[in-house]
Amino acid sequence: DADVTQTPRNRITKTGKRIMLECSQTKGHDRMYWYRQDPGLGLRLIYYSFDVKDINKGEISDGYSVSRQAQAKFSLSLESAIPNQTALYFCATQPWDSLTQYFGPGTRLTVT
Amino acid sequence: DQQVKQNSPSLSVQEGRISILNCDYTNSMFDYFLWYKKYPAEGPTFLISISSIKDKNEDGRFTVFLNKSAKHLSLHIVPSQPGDSAVYFCAAYNQGGKLIFGQGTELSVKP
């Protein structure tokens, strides 16, 4: 079984809709991250959390919110989706004692 | 403002030859660097890392070189194999502890 799972893997939604992307991990890592990947831009940090009660904005948090429901779960919400939020979204985890981040398989989101 | 740059969007190499992927960064305070490999429809997977106190780190066919004065790192793959065909991202930790990624280089290893 995958250590970091993301649901859904693909989603098409309309402008203005609210959508939630979910991330679960079985690695037991405290730190979790949400990134988006756009062609030619690499991965950019949206939000991150170092434990259940800790939420921090990343480089591009506008238009997004997150919820850390448990150590193993970190959800990303788009309150009112817009077409320029069309991208690949990745969740990542990291143990507190390492600098290596471990990524989920990604969610391809299309906003029409 | 791209703080970590991979200026070659793509690279094509013959099987068995060396692949050299390059990465430049702008901030001399970056002190830890990683390379990730990404296959289509999968998430990035960690490949190799290097601390700024070193100038070389080797793991099997993969070697990362760091030139701090030039703010440049490179990933060498020797010998290259068709299964190495993927997108490679370099990344660096900034002073705030955030991982900054380059744009990626797509490597194609031809049999």
Side-chain angles (χ1 to χ4, degrees):
Chain A
D1 287 340
D3 296 320
V4 184
T5 58
Q6 293 185 234
T7 55
R9 292 295 314 275
N10 289 282
R11 180 72 182 268
I12 300 174
T13 192
K14 293 186 183 299
T15 297
K17 293 290 188 182
R18 184 179 190 277
I19 183 169
M20 180 182 287
L21 309 182
E22 298 189 346
C23 177
S24 294
Q25 54 123 342
T26 58
K27 288 183 164 293
H29 294 167
D30 290 322
R31 301 182 177 192
M32 297 187 73
Y33 302 81
W34 276 103
Y35 292 89
R36 66 177 275 177
Q37 183 194 357
D38 297 279
L41 290 179
L43 281 76
R44 292 181 293 164
L45 182 63
I46 306 172
Y47 268 96
Y48 63 100
S49 169
F50 284 176
D51 65 39
V52 174
K53 296 176 181 170
D54 178 72
I55 300 288
N56 304 281
K57 292 183 178 180
E59 179 189 357
I60 52 164
S61 59
D62 287 349
Y64 301 95
S65 62
V66 291
S67 173
R68 184 83 184 264
Q69 302 94 320
Q71 188 207 37
K73 295 185 183 297
F74 193 35
S75 301
L76 176 72
S77 294
L78 287 67
E79 298 303 325
S80 178
I82 56 176
N84 79 357
Q85 291 177 314
T86 293
L88 261 176
Y89 289 84
F90 291 103
C91 173
T93 72
Q94 180 186 355
W96 67 270
D97 58 350
S98 168
L99 291 172
T100 303
Q101 295 185 15
Y102 299 87
F103 286 82
T107 293
R108 182 171 292 280
L109 176 66
T110 304
V111 183
T112 62
Chain B
D1 182 24
Q2 194 77 26
Q3 298 180 68
V4 177
K5 300 178 185 179
Q6 295 176 256
N7 291 318
S8 299
S10 62
L11 175 68
S12 184
V13 170
Q14 207 69 29
E15 181 179 7
R17 299 291 191 112
I18 184 171
S19 296
I20 300 176
L21 296 97
N22 294 304
C23 179
D24 297 296
Y25 59 97
T26 58
N27 192 329
S28 58
M29 297 299 289
F30 290 174
D31 59 3
Y32 196 83
F33 306 87
L34 303 90
W35 283 94
Y36 282 85
K37 178 169 74 173
K38 184 186 178 304
Y39 293 119
E42 295 183 13
T45 56
F46 170 71
L47 194 55
I48 193 168
S49 61
I50 188 166
S51 164
S52 60
I53 63 173
K54 296 185 175 182
D55 54 18
K56 176 182 173 181
N57 189 26
E58 193 171 352
D59 184 2
R61 295 186 297 114
F62 302 90
T63 303
V64 56
F65 295 91
L66 176 62
N67 182 334
K68 290 184 287 293
S69 61
K71 295 199 279 292
H72 177 84
L73 65 157
S74 61
L75 175 68
H76 293 211
I77 307 173
V78 183
S80 301
Q81 300 173 354
D84 296 328
S85 296
V87 177
Y88 289 78
F89 291 98
C90 71
Y93 271 98
N94 67 8
Q95 300 97 300
K98 311 298 182 299
L99 201 52
I100 310 296
F101 284 84
Q103 309 96 309
T105 296
E106 184 170 10
L107 173 66
S108 176
V109 180
K110 302 193 181 304

